[in-house]
Amino acid sequence: MRERLIMILGKTAKLRPWREEDIQKLTEFRNDIDLQAQLLTRVRGSHDDQTRRWLEQRSSNDNLLFVVADRDSDTTMGYIQFIDIDPIDQTAKLGICVAPTAQNKGLGKEVLTLALNYLHAGLGVRKVILEVSSCNKRAIHCYEKIGFKQCGMYLNHKYITGIWHDVIVMELFLETLVKQK
């Protein structure tokens, strides 16, 4: 079992364990149709109890979840999660959600760099993979700036909001991660 999460401070954001007061905002994110479509998921009408169970599941065993909060105000701005962390293969799958009001401000790059450095140095993970919609150009550009490379694609793979999405698979070997300055 992984030890309790620590707080990781960045220039504008902090990564911290979830708290009860985060649940309402995270439920809003989980019910935002456009935001969930960006994340290649479907809104299922989450309520606070479902969000709490999801947070508990994503914070245990072979998973790791941080709430993304404003460094100064502690306002919840999203989350970053790593699932299926495999200590033998030293791999993990990445998911990140940034609130629409916090997008296009460099937050994603900062959060990714902080979390990936922790994953590599703190947990010994050597490789991270992710899936992203081929039409989510801003996210793809952010991932490429960090160092992720496309390694595959699923054509017409996800049916969300009445549209078939091609899904790009990307990977990053953490030894090559550019450290945040």
Side-chain angles (χ1 to χ4, degrees):
M1 185 127 220
R2 200 169 291 111
E3 28 179 291
R4 187 156 174 81
L5 287 177
I6 58 168
M7 186 179 317
I8 303 171
L9 295 176
K11 292 178 183 174
T12 63
K14 62 181 158 186
L15 308 181
R16 61 169 172 75
W18 68 274
R19 301 188 293 238
E20 193 66 25
E21 55 268 26
D22 297 316
I23 291 176
Q24 183 178 5
K25 185 53 107 174
L26 293 173
T27 298
E28 289 175 26
F29 296 158
R30 289 171 56 91
N31 288 320
D32 182 320
I33 293 170
D34 294 331
L35 181 60
Q36 291 304 304
Q38 283 181 348
L39 303 175
L40 293 171
T41 60
R42 295 171 203 89
V43 170
R44 291 181 176 87
S46 289
H47 53 75
D48 289 353
D49 288 338
Q50 289 171 314
T51 300
R52 184 178 297 103
R53 284 193 299 274
W54 169 76
L55 288 165
E56 289 168 351
Q57 189 266 329
R58 289 296 198 224
S59 302
S60 64
N61 301 326
D62 60 349
N63 300 315
L64 173 68
L65 182 137
F66 289 105
V67 164
V68 175
D70 181 82
R71 182 182 169 119
D72 298 325
S73 70
D74 201 37
T75 303
T76 304
M77 299 187 299
Y79 62 86
I80 187 166
Q81 64 180 335
F82 298 94
I83 63 170
D84 301 332
I85 299 172
D86 186 316
I88 306 294
D89 294 332
Q90 301 170 335
T91 58
K93 295 177 184 171
L94 165 69
I96 182 171
C97 172
V98 175
T101 57
Q103 293 179 8
N104 298 316
K105 299 176 183 175
L107 180 66
K109 183 178 183 219
E110 178 181 358
V111 167
L112 282 165
T113 303
L114 291 169
L116 292 168
N117 280 321
Y118 173 77
L119 204 65
H120 183 59
L123 299 179
V125 173
R126 67 176 185 84
K127 179 179 166 181
V128 173
I129 60 173
L130 63 86
E131 294 180 355
V132 60
S133 173
S134 64
C135 63
N136 193 343
K137 302 299 183 195
R138 290 186 316 207
I140 293 166
H141 179 70
C142 179
Y143 297 139
E144 289 174 341
K145 283 173 62 176
I146 296 290
F148 279 90
K149 305 281 187 228
Q150 182 174 334
C151 61
M153 180 180 287
Y154 302 118
L155 299 176
N156 294 317
H157 190 65
K158 291 281 187 170
Y159 189 74
I160 300 171
T161 61
I163 301 168
W164 283 105
H165 292 265
D166 293 343
V167 176
I168 295 173
V169 181
M170 301 181 84
E171 66 183 358
L172 173 67
F173 289 91
L174 296 182
E175 304 84 43
T176 65
L177 182 65
V178 177
K179 302 286 184 195
Q180 183 171 334
K181 307 245 183 320

